[in-house]
Amino acid sequence: QFWVDCRPWNKDVATTAICGWFLSHEAPSTALALRLLKQCGSSKEQDLARVGWPYLQAEWVEAIPASLHADRGEWVSKKAETITRGGVCVKVGKPYTPHKKGAIEQTHNLVKRRLIEEGIPGIYSREHQRGEGDGIAGAALTLLEVEQRVVKIILDINRMPSPAALPAEMVAEQPRDVSRIALWKWRTQRELGQCRELSPKQMFEAFLQPQEASITAKGLLLDKRNYRSDVLDTFGLTLKAANKRGQKMQVFIDEQLP
């Protein structure tokens, strides 16, 4: 089972492996939550290339959970109904009960401590000399710089020995690797049904917002905005719409976030 809340990453409850991340300047929302879940089930290759980190599939979780625990309203809003189409069961925990999710809070605190240890821009000595900078000019990180640090920290944590008790069957195999990510791989290979791998098309349909749009001569009309579509032109649907009232069709919206 996964636990997801307002933090920009999520983790597997049984193994404490961090399964994915998504950072944004925006406040927590269903759109952000869906992006995070989608990122968990997708290949991390493009995301890692963007932050300048080598990709090794064995180091990452790339699957969708059968169920997840959440303590944020973004996961139970009307828009969040999208999640159930992907076959995910959402279990909402009680807010303000950190004692009931100790391993989760420990991992979140570990990530925050590591971020601080990486160094905070703007720190300078109280005894700096004349002419030296006071740190103000560089007292900020871009979102990309924060993401680069978060990716490194997630990798480091997932490579740490899992604090969870190892299954007796795994101990009997005397594995060399007992890290969080290794335990996650071991469990998912043996406990079928806990996670699923979705194709790009399934991911597209499961975690994007469905809406109804009208086909017009200019393309798709949605919320008083026209969107061009080469596919509609290829099938002659925009030409048909120019001669008569366009038909309706279902579209899937990927809400834009910075």
Side-chain angles (χ1 to χ4, degrees), residues 6-175:
C6 61
R7 280 65 170 242
W9 45 80
N10 73 10
K11 64 190 292 292
D12 178 56
V13 174
T15 65
T16 67
I18 298 178
C19 306
W21 76 94
F22 181 78
L23 278 69
S24 171
H25 291 296
E26 296 294 303
S29 66
T30 300
L32 190 153
L34 288 172
R35 285 286 189 91
L36 173 58
L37 190 57
K38 186 167 178 268
Q39 201 266 359
C40 290
S42 303
S43 169
K44 307 294 189 291
E45 187 171 6
Q46 291 186 352
D47 288 328
L48 293 174
R50 179 168 44 79
V51 300
W53 200 270
Y55 171 73
L56 183 61
Q57 195 276 335
E59 294 184 314
W60 296 100
V61 172
E62 296 178 350
I64 295 297
S67 65
L68 61 84
H69 288 262
D71 62 1
R72 295 285 302 186
E74 291 80 19
W75 295 95
V76 292
S77 67
K78 186 169 181 60
K79 285 187 176 182
E81 293 176 359
T82 303
I83 301 171
T84 59
R85 289 205 311 272
V88 179
C89 174
V90 180
K91 302 176 182 178
V92 182
K94 293 182 179 180
Y96 308 110
T97 54
H99 58 283
K100 293 185 178 181
K101 44 184 187 287
I104 310 298
E105 296 296 333
Q106 289 174 11
T107 300
H108 289 317
N109 290 334
L110 180 57
V111 173
K112 289 187 286 187
R113 286 200 305 271
R114 291 293 183 88
L115 282 171
I116 294 174
E117 291 170 2
E118 287 287 325
I120 301 174
I123 294 179
Y124 65 94
S125 172
R126 292 184 177 180
E127 300 177 357
H128 65 286
Q129 301 299 315
R130 184 176 179 179
E132 291 182 345
D134 59 5
I136 295 177
L141 287 172
T142 65
L143 195 62
L144 178 60
E145 290 171 332
V146 175
E147 188 171 10
Q148 289 170 335
R149 297 186 182 203
V150 167
V151 169
K152 178 180 180 298
I153 290 168
I154 289 175
L155 274 171
D156 289 343
I157 291 176
N158 280 352
R159 290 168 178 166
M160 293 169 56
S162 175
L166 299 180
E169 296 86 349
M170 185 176 184
V171 174
E173 295 175 9
Q174 298 182 343

